[in-house]
Amino acid sequence: DGTRIANRTIERTAQLRTHSLYAPYIDQDLQNRWWDFGADAYVNTNKHIRLTQNKPSQMGWLWSRLPLTAHSWVLEVEFKIGDKSTHLYGDGMAVWITKDRAQPGPIFGSKDRFEGLGIFLDTYANGRHPFAFPRIVGMLGDGQTKYDHDTDGEQNKIGACSANYRRTTVPTKLRVSYVKDVHLDAADNARPQVKLQYKGWDEWTDCFSYDNLKLPVHPYVGFSALTGDVSDPHDIISVTLSSVVLSSPESQRNSLKSKGSILGLGSSSGGGSGLSFWIKFLLFFGVCAGGWYGWNTYGRSRLSGPGGFSGLG
């Protein structure tokens, strides 16, 4: 699709059915083969999976049943936070790529001291900050470090940005791209980043990037949300997760060679080699023809010029 990651291009994607989710979300047995949901979460088959209602002290979660085995992938989740009310709101929701699954807790509805990646869509400030809320904060958990509520995750963040993704006029989406042991990405440029659609349709805003991100082997994918004294509805509308195949690291160099072959100077493989052969053949033929014409012209000038053989008749 032309997206560049770490100076390479995504050549193709393959959607993972086991880690994607769309309406109506459940089958005839009121279950989903690939996903679990629990606590206060419930399913509206026409609209969304609502992790929390607009009520205080709620917690809800949604987790993949199978671990993610793809080495490189792109996760895109469409979500909605907030409704028409104008009261104080919170606390927020989280996207998880972690070793453990479906363990409720105080960190946006999931366990603390997690191992893996947590991306927090935080709508309530617990302290005073120089930046605005709502906010997106990324944290790489090692299984031992606690999330710092007092600083809203600033102490242990790997990246963050402020974005008004609550009550938007367009579908809000978060995109996270990952290439194993290389980078976390949520944007469309040559370096790893995190990306958000909330201003306009297909208008993606870069949030943060982090190089050399290492995740647990075969992590689970999950979403959770939490409300406290203040509340908000937190909805998951769709989840699309695809494995990706990137272009070769040498592709840029090869493309230059391919262009050179059109001039007869490059690679000898493929269609370019046939064109190169004919160009070389025509050049060789032209040189030979020019030499033959020049030799004949020179010979005639000697025969007809002064002191030539024609003067002996």
Side-chain angles (χ1 to χ4, degrees):
D1 65 356
T3 299
R4 299 183 66 199
I5 295 181
N7 231 7
R8 297 164 67 182
T9 303
I10 293 180
E11 290 188 337
R12 60 184 181 273
T13 63
Q15 183 176 324
L16 301 179
R17 181 185 176 189
T18 55
H19 292 79
S20 299
L21 184 64
Y22 307 96
Y25 311 111
I26 55 177
D27 55 29
Q28 295 178 349
D29 298 326
L30 302 181
Q31 299 289 328
N32 186 290
R33 182 179 181 182
W34 310 116
W35 295 84
D36 282 329
F37 61 92
D40 294 310
Y42 72 90
V43 176
N44 182 326
T45 56
N46 295 320
K47 293 183 178 181
H48 51 239
I49 296 178
R50 177 152 287 180
L51 300 178
T52 70
Q53 301 180 61
N54 192 358
K55 296 180 179 180
S57 303
Q58 286 212 328
M59 173 195 302
W61 50 262
L62 170 71
W63 283 90
S64 65
R65 293 187 175 188
L66 297 179
L68 177 59
T69 58
H71 289 174
S72 302
W73 44 264
V74 175
L75 170 65
E76 186 172 299
V77 53
E78 182 178 347
F79 65 94
K80 182 179 180 181
I81 299 177
D83 57 15
K84 296 181 180 180
S85 62
T86 58
H87 67 290
L88 292 174
Y89 47 84
D91 284 331
M93 61 177 286
V95 179
W96 303 99
I97 311 290
T98 54
K99 179 180 179 180
D100 299 316
R101 65 179 293 276
Q103 296 188 21
I107 311 305
F108 298 93
S110 194
K111 64 174 286 188
D112 203 350
R113 291 189 170 93
F114 60 90
E115 183 175 349
L117 174 66
I119 300 177
F120 310 130
L121 286 76
D122 194 348
T123 57
Y124 183 80
N126 294 306
R128 299 182 65 180
H129 304 287
F131 43 78
F133 278 73
R135 190 162 173 81
I136 298 176
V137 178
M139 175 179 171
L140 185 62
D142 58 7
Q144 304 296 325
T145 304
K146 294 185 65 175
Y147 173 79
D148 186 12
H149 280 94
D150 294 339
T151 64
D152 293 295
E154 284 296 299
Q155 183 176 353
N156 303 115
K157 75 176 188 297
I158 60 174
C161 69
S162 296
N164 191 15
Y165 49 79
R166 186 180 176 274
R167 295 179 60 192
T168 62
T169 58
V170 297
T172 45
K173 296 182 180 181
L174 182 75
R175 181 183 294 173
V176 183
S177 303
Y178 175 77
V179 177
K180 185 178 180 182
D181 298 336
V182 177
H183 65 263
L184 169 72
D185 171 77
D188 272 350
N189 48 27
R191 68 181 192 280
Q193 300 170 324
V194 172
K195 223 178 185 184
L196 185 70
Q197 173 186 289
Y198 71 102
K199 295 179 179 179
W201 180 259
D202 204 29
E203 182 180 346
W204 292 91
T205 301
D206 296 349
C207 182
F208 70 86
S209 64
Y210 188 79
D211 294 328
N212 301 315
L213 180 78
K214 294 187 178 181
L215 294 176
V217 177
H218 301 161
Y220 293 92
V221 180
F223 309 89
S224 65
L226 183 72
T227 64
D229 295 332
V230 294
S231 60
D232 241 349
H234 298 88
D235 302 333
I236 298 293
I237 298 172
S238 67
V239 179
T240 304
L241 201 152
S242 303
S243 63
V244 302
V245 176
L246 298 178
S247 61
S248 167
E250 302 297 322
S251 61
Q252 295 298 320
R253 219 170 295 160
N254 289 341
S255 66
L256 293 176
K257 290 182 179 180
S258 176
K259 292 178 182 178
S261 67
I262 296 177
L263 301 176
L265 303 174
S267 165
S268 61
S269 63
S273 61
L275 181 61
S276 175
F277 169 79
W278 286 110
I279 292 175
K280 290 178 180 179
F281 176 80
L282 291 174
L283 289 174
F284 176 77
F285 180 81
V287 170
C288 292
W292 178 80
Y293 177 81
W295 174 256
N296 282 345
T297 302
Y298 174 75
R300 284 195 301 269
S301 67
R302 289 190 62 188
L303 289 174
S304 60
F309 289 104
S310 60
L312 297 176

